[in-house]
């Protein structure tokens, strides 16, 4: 890992050089050929593909091939329930929904309550279970297909998961875990074991179906280390290597690093009220100048502006409007206050509708949950 920035499943900081990460992690760039396949099969390229936000992959070509030959594929993604869902988490979910809608495929959604208990010194298992169910409301509110979406908590779907994870863990040595994740002798052994659980879901659909099916994992690039380990051992235990498609990280409202649940004032959560949204965006870091006069004269800098980044990553889908905003910012025509107000309106409208669906999800949560057969019989 280069030393000017850090990207691991548990820490993201600094000014991320995404091209360099492709080399460091050994992934592939989403190139013209992959974009061409998406266009061919979906008819409508997602904004996150057009803008290079989903920019890196592993084995997407195999996913398209399996789809074309009728073998099919499934989706797998997840969330580590350390707190409420923030807007950064929604990015892979928005994209996952696009794939589910366009390809009509099943989705397996892992909630790693064990992970956040093992890695979070201040979180009890009750806390992480509680947040898992809170996060599940957000997942359902995204509008995934009820008949094709299966959500589970690691600790509650433990019978099924343990039987796969143990096969994974036999193939992963402590020295691999140390090299990939930076563990040392003071790391608790639960944390060392955990990657077996995240890997196991890649094989769960094959186990449940009784025949091998490839899975595609949409996630931000920070989760890739788990799946490097998974891919190395997959064939050795009789499964396909999972394919991945990675996105860049939504920055925090402070303008650097990623949006993070541990920095509540610079992250927008799905449960935030209009007042909180307004306050957080009002305090956001922008690319503006110290005074209005200076900005009118010199223009702003959208590249470093967190407000512009939020529009770019999620909230302004219209290419022309985004380009116009950028040029008006650069020329000094547009002042930061207007952009903040525009983003506040976009986020508030989006979250109000999300929160309504989130409340409605409380009544149907069980329809989505995967349960161990043992639990049902008891
Ligand atoms: P977690 O809870 O840290 O993140 C959930 C998903 O959100 C992505 N993500 C972000 N994407 C864009 N911008 C951000 N600022 C940002 N922060 C987080 C993550 O990459 C992830 O896709 N160990 C995992 C849970 C997990 C999982 C998986 C994730 C289990 N299986 C399979 C992805 C795929 C975790 O703690 O994710």
């Amino acid at each position: 890992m280069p030393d000017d920035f850090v990207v691991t499943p548990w820490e993201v900081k600094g000014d991320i050089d995404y091209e360099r990460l492709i080399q460091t992690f050994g992934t592939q760039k989403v190139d013209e050929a992959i974009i061409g396949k998406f266009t061919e099969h979906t008819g409508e390229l997602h904004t996150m593909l057009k803008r290079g936000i989903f920019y890196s992959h592993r084995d997407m070509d195999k996913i398209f091939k399996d789809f074309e030959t009728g073998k099919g594929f499934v989706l797998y993604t997840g969330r580590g329930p350390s707190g409420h869902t923030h807007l950064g988490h929604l990015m892979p979910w928005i994209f996952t929904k696009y794939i589910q809608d366009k390809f009509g495929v099943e989705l397996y959604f892992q909630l790693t309550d064990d992970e956040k208990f093992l890695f979070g010194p201040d979180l009890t298992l009750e806390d992480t279970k509680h947040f898992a169910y809170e996060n599940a409301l957000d997942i359902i509110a995204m509008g995934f297909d009820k008949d094709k979406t299966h959500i589970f908590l690691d600790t509650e779907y433990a019978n099924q998961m343990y039987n796969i994870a143990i096969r994974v863990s036999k193939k992963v040595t402590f020295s691999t875990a140390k090299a990939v994740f930076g563990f040392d002798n003071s790391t608790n052994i639960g944390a060392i074991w955990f990657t077996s659980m995240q890997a196991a879901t890649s094989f769960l659909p094959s186990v449940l179906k009784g025949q091998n099916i490839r899975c595609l994992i949409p996630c931000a690039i920070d989760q890739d280390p788990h799946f490097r380990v998974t891919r190395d051992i997959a064939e050795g235990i009789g499964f396909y290597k999972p394919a991945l498609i990675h996105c860049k990280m939504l920055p925090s409202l402070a303008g650097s690093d990623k949006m993070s649940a541990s920095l509540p004032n610079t992250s927008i959560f799905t449960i935030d009220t209009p007042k909180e949204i307004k306050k957080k965006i009002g305090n956001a870091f922008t690319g503006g100048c110290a005074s209005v006069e200076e900005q009118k004269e010199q223009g702003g800098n959208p590249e470093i502006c967190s407000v512009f980044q939020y529009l770019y990553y999620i909230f302004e889908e219209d290419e022309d409007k985004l380009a116009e905003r950028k040029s008006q910012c650069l020329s000094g025509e547009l002042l930061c206050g207007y952009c903040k107000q525009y983003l506040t309106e976009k986020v508030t409208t989006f979250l109000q509708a999300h929160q309504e669906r989130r409340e409605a999800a409380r009544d149907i949560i069980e329809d989505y949950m995967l349960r161990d057969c043992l639990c049902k019989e008891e």
Side-chain angles (χ1 to χ4, degrees):
M1 176 67 59
D3 50 17
D4 45 348
F5 63 89
V6 178
V7 176
T8 75
W10 300 288
E11 190 184 18
V12 175
K13 65 174 194 218
D15 193 6
I16 307 167
D17 181 339
Y18 285 103
E19 296 307 316
R20 197 135 54 99
L21 268 188
I22 286 189
Q23 278 146 34
T24 319
F25 285 180
T27 66
Q28 239 95 54
K29 203 176 160 64
V30 170
D31 60 10
E32 288 300 309
I34 298 295
I35 292 289
K37 282 285 176 194
F38 268 114
T39 313
E40 180 187 331
H41 289 297
T42 66
E44 181 190 9
L45 211 52
H46 198 280
T47 318
M48 291 185 187
L49 284 169
K50 280 191 217 152
R51 294 188 184 160
I53 295 170
F54 269 84
Y55 84 111
S56 150
H57 76 100
R58 295 180 185 272
D59 283 351
M60 266 315 296
D61 42 337
K62 293 195 173 132
I63 289 292
F64 288 122
K65 197 157 176 214
D66 283 358
F67 182 70
E68 285 159 8
T69 57
K71 276 168 103 178
F73 69 93
V74 294
L75 286 160
Y76 156 36
T77 198
R79 159 82 181 127
S82 55
H84 280 291
T85 304
H86 62 55
L87 294 180
H89 301 132
L90 298 190
M91 280 176 44
W93 305 356
I94 292 169
F95 191 73
T96 303
K97 176 163 161 49
Y98 157 76
I99 299 190
Q100 182 177 64
D101 289 349
K102 297 290 177 184
F103 292 87
V105 289
E106 280 184 86
L107 164 64
Y108 291 80
F109 210 116
Q110 179 176 31
L111 292 165
T112 53
D113 56 336
D114 52 348
E115 174 192 13
K116 294 301 161 179
F117 167 65
L118 290 164
F119 285 87
D122 301 329
L123 290 169
T124 65
L125 208 43
E126 288 69 33
D127 293 335
T128 60
K129 268 184 208 279
H130 165 75
F131 282 124
Y133 278 98
E134 286 294 312
N135 296 164
L137 298 177
D138 291 305
I139 296 161
I140 295 168
M142 297 300 295
F144 290 114
D145 183 335
K146 184 157 60 154
D147 299 324
K148 291 186 177 151
T149 302
H150 317 286
I151 306 173
F152 64 92
L153 274 67
D154 281 352
T155 59
E156 293 184 354
Y157 196 47
N159 181 45
Q160 191 65 261
M161 289 299 288
Y162 185 72
N163 278 285
I164 309 173
I166 197 161
R167 290 166 69 187
V168 174
S169 66
K170 194 171 178 179
K171 296 283 179 188
V172 183
T173 63
F174 182 38
S175 82
T176 297
K178 274 200 285 196
V180 175
F181 301 110
F183 298 148
D184 59 30
N185 285 352
S186 69
T187 309
N188 73 63
I189 59 173
I192 297 164
W193 143 271
F194 169 72
T195 197
S196 321
M197 291 295 281
Q198 187 148 333
T201 314
S202 315
F203 313 129
L204 174 68
S206 297
V207 170
L208 292 176
K209 289 175 192 307
Q211 70 180 61
N212 274 355
I213 184 155
R214 204 181 303 275
C215 79
L216 169 62
I217 309 173
C219 59
I221 190 81
D222 64 328
Q223 297 297 315
D224 187 71
H226 285 296
F227 300 115
R228 281 206 304 276
V229 175
T230 312
R231 285 170 55 87
D232 281 349
I233 59 89
E235 287 168 351
I237 58 169
F239 297 109
Y240 292 131
K241 293 180 182 200
L244 289 111
I245 186 155
H246 309 104
C247 66
K248 298 177 181 172
M249 317 283 312
L250 184 73
S252 82
L253 286 169
S256 62
D257 301 344
K258 67 161 183 170
M259 181 167 272
S260 163
S262 57
L263 299 167
N265 293 329
T266 57
S267 300
I268 297 175
F269 295 91
T270 56
I271 57 156
D272 281 353
T273 61
K275 205 171 154 198
E276 285 166 323
I277 299 166
K278 189 168 179 221
K279 189 169 168 207
K280 288 179 186 182
I281 297 178
N283 290 330
F285 174 79
T286 69
C289 298
S291 71
V292 171
E293 289 68 35
E294 221 179 298
Q295 189 162 341
K296 281 186 175 164
E297 210 173 288
Q298 295 173 17
N301 182 356
E303 297 305 327
I304 59 161
C305 173
S306 67
V307 174
F308 186 79
Q309 295 305 314
Y310 279 65
L311 293 170
Y312 175 82
Y313 276 101
I314 310 183
F315 290 101
E316 183 59 272
E317 289 192 38
D318 187 318
E319 297 297 343
D320 294 340
K321 283 192 186 164
L322 192 75
E324 194 186 342
R325 182 170 298 277
K326 188 172 180 177
S327 80
Q328 286 183 336
C329 169
L330 287 166
S331 70
E333 238 177 288
L334 195 63
L335 297 177
C336 299
Y338 292 104
C339 280
K340 283 182 172 175
Q341 195 186 336
Y342 184 74
L343 179 65
T344 304
E345 280 162 19
K346 287 259 180 196
V347 175
T348 309
T349 308
F350 172 83
L351 284 185
Q352 272 174 345
H354 179 89
Q355 286 166 7
E356 275 173 30
R357 293 191 302 271
R358 195 179 184 280
E359 278 314 299
R362 290 185 194 278
D363 298 331
I364 50 170
I365 197 162
E366 210 45 45
D367 296 347
Y368 289 82
M369 298 306 290
L370 269 183
R371 298 288 179 199
D372 271 330
C373 297
L374 282 180
C375 299
K376 263 193 187 149
E377 281 161 18
E378 270 165 14

